[in-house]
Amino acid sequence: MERLRLILRFVLVALVAAIVGCAEQEGPPPSANVSRSPFGTTESGDSVDVFTMVNANGLEVRATNYGGIILSLRVPDREGNFDDVVLGYDDLAAYEADSPYFGAIVGRYGNRIANGRFTLDGTTYELAINNGPNHLHGGVKGFDKVVWEAESFDTHDGVSVVFSYTSADGEEGYPGTLAARVTYMLTDRDELVVDYLGTTDKATPVNLTQHTYFNLAGDGRRDVLDHELTLNAQHYTPVDETLIPTGAIAPVAGTPFDFTASTAVGARIGRDDEQLRAGGGYDHNFVLDRGDDSGLILAARVVEPTTGRVLEVHTTEPGLQFYSGNFLDGTITGKSGRVYERRYGFCLETQHFPDSPNQAAFPSTTLRPGEEYRSRTVFVFGVDR
Ligand code: GLA
């Protein structure tokens, strides 16, 4: 009898272990999860949500379907202390009122199109002029200011949120109905994977990017000039005084734009250099050294020396806009009452080159019916010990 009971107990324990094992294989690790809660109501009456993704190591990304904005991103330093490393606001109204694209998805066209005009297949299109004489970041109401459909998923690869938006033919002056889908996935390898997908019913330029402002020392603490930056780029695209590329693909060697070896952001930012003057600092597109590789390559690595936090950016894109937060000027009060002074954040915007619709020699940004626009950028977080 006693023996039978023992055998039964053994069978039971084995069964439970098998069921638990299966469950583990099906879903994400127990602590990784994504949850949805209300974030607020837009001025036009749409309610939007906040999605909180947490991975098995405790990293946390909060994003809203208003503009696909990444609201906060908490990662550990070398002592294991978590802090929010992105700039932004506490509430929806502040984002709607005035935001320099904090954390947002930018589209249809990231960065500038000269004079808001381009010709495609013989037709000239006029876009909004919203930045000096030029068109910037998709226009007056770009993808950063629209409400996206949203769904969240727990998968084996990570926890994710999928944002979808259909931009109507003619929206902001662009041709064609563009169906866009952007996925944020947080993995247990401490990666934030951003996948972009687009299809259209008429030829149109498409150049989507992510406009998060990082400060690896912690949001709103101090400027980013001590951050050490490496860029995988031996060339960049110099600009005119309105930040439109001249068309040149210039070598960075011997200039303040040479980040091929790790260099503090602030080491040369104050130099008397025509290009730094044009940007008020760094606000330039770097041409990534990808050779024939059309896949994911390392574009940038940033180390914050005091906390040891490290950010790597990998991308399938040909370019990277390095913006050193030059237009922040202390007039914005962000999360938790922190005032964002000049250069309190930096952006690494993976992209095709600015003004490509007017630059035949740059990689094309034209998406045609029947084609798929696909782009991937991976932000990897770690520490340097
Ligand atoms: C991009 C541009 C900058 C600036 C910011 C938003 O990074 O290149 O010039 O417009 O967006 O303020």
Side-chain angles (χ1 to χ4, degrees):
M1 192 60 192
E2 185 57 26
R3 206 162 149 198
L4 187 67
R5 201 176 289 147
L6 264 176
I7 291 171
L8 270 177
R9 182 182 290 173
F10 177 78
V11 169
L12 199 72
V13 168
L15 254 175
V16 168
I19 291 168
V20 168
C22 274
E24 270 176 2
Q25 267 175 20
E26 291 296 314
S31 53
N33 65 83
V34 52
S35 57
R36 179 176 192 156
S37 53
F39 186 51
T41 305
T42 63
E43 267 175 36
S44 49
D46 294 312
S47 25
V48 300
D49 289 334
V50 55
F51 295 81
T52 304
M53 293 176 269
V54 181
N55 79 359
N57 307 318
L59 274 75
E60 183 200 83
V61 178
R62 288 170 59 250
T64 173
N65 57 319
Y66 175 77
I69 293 171
I70 293 176
L71 301 166
S72 64
L73 207 161
R74 295 179 61 79
V75 298
D77 67 7
R78 60 160 80 89
E79 313 292 340
N81 301 315
F82 281 74
D83 206 349
D84 182 6
V85 295
V86 304
L87 277 58
Y89 292 117
D90 285 325
D91 56 60
L92 178 63
Y95 281 102
E96 270 201 289
D98 182 26
S99 169
Y101 306 92
F102 283 144
I105 297 168
V106 173
R108 278 185 205 195
Y109 200 95
N111 214 278
R112 294 173 177 80
I113 296 178
N115 303 310
R117 189 180 307 125
F118 65 93
T119 301
L120 181 57
D121 296 340
T123 305
T124 298
Y125 296 92
E126 300 282 346
L127 308 170
I129 308 290
N130 59 338
N131 186 254
N134 302 317
H135 175 83
L136 176 69
H137 290 337
V140 176
K141 190 175 179 186
F143 288 8
D144 58 299
K145 297 181 187 69
V146 301
V147 176
W148 296 63
E149 295 291 313
E151 268 188 284
S152 61
F153 297 93
D154 281 13
T155 69
H156 217 38
D157 296 329
V159 285
S160 62
V161 181
V162 180
F163 293 131
S164 310
Y165 176 67
T166 301
S167 167
D169 188 0
E171 188 176 284
E172 295 294 322
Y174 289 99
T177 313
L178 177 70
R181 204 171 83 187
V182 180
T183 304
Y184 294 147
M185 182 170 70
L186 180 64
T187 75
D188 288 337
R189 293 181 299 278
D190 297 348
E191 303 157 324
L192 175 63
V193 182
V194 185
D195 271 316
Y196 303 87
L197 177 66
T199 53
T200 184
D201 59 3
K202 272 186 207 160
T204 181
V206 183
N207 188 29
L208 307 182
T209 191
Q210 221 298 325
H211 209 295
T212 286
Y213 288 67
F214 293 97
N215 187 327
L216 301 179
D219 167 41
R221 297 268 193 274
R222 56 168 177 268
D223 67 43
V224 295
L225 298 179
D226 289 342
H227 284 57
E228 291 155 9
L229 174 68
T230 313
L231 295 177
N232 183 14
Q234 291 180 54
H235 295 87
Y236 77 117
T237 51
V239 289
D240 68 16
E241 64 286 352
T242 74
L243 296 180
I244 293 294
T246 60
I249 307 274
V252 296
T255 77
F257 294 82
D258 189 350
F259 284 96
T260 54
S262 175
T263 309
V265 168
R268 300 159 303 187
I269 204 166
R271 282 207 190 154
D272 186 19
D273 173 275
E274 184 203 328
Q275 284 298 311
L276 287 173
R277 268 201 303 279
Y282 296 102
D283 192 353
H284 294 76
N285 171 65
F286 287 75
V287 179
L288 298 174
D289 292 337
R290 61 165 52 258
D292 293 332
D293 191 343
S294 59
L296 265 185
I297 58 159
L298 178 69
R301 184 167 195 271
V302 192
V303 179
E304 199 291 304
T306 64
T307 60
R309 290 198 183 96
V310 178
L311 166 65
E312 276 182 13
V313 182
H314 302 249
T315 188
T316 57
E317 286 297 311
L320 178 79
Q321 186 84 10
F322 168 44
Y323 170 55
S324 52
N326 314 306
F327 295 120
L328 298 174
D329 60 1
T331 54
I332 287 179
T333 300
K335 286 180 272 189
S336 307
R338 299 207 173 108
V339 175
Y340 296 144
E341 302 288 351
R342 192 165 195 224
R343 299 174 179 154
Y344 262 41
F346 65 89
C347 302
L348 293 169
E349 302 154 64
T350 54
Q351 62 183 10
H352 273 53
F353 308 170
D355 199 32
S356 295
N358 294 306
Q359 299 272 359
F362 287 177
S364 170
T365 50
T366 304
L367 179 71
R368 296 186 178 278
E371 295 176 348
E372 270 184 350
Y373 168 89
R374 277 186 186 275
S375 173
R376 170 174 281 196
T377 292
V378 183
F379 298 96
V380 189
F381 298 92
V383 287
D384 207 19
R385 287 184 193 277

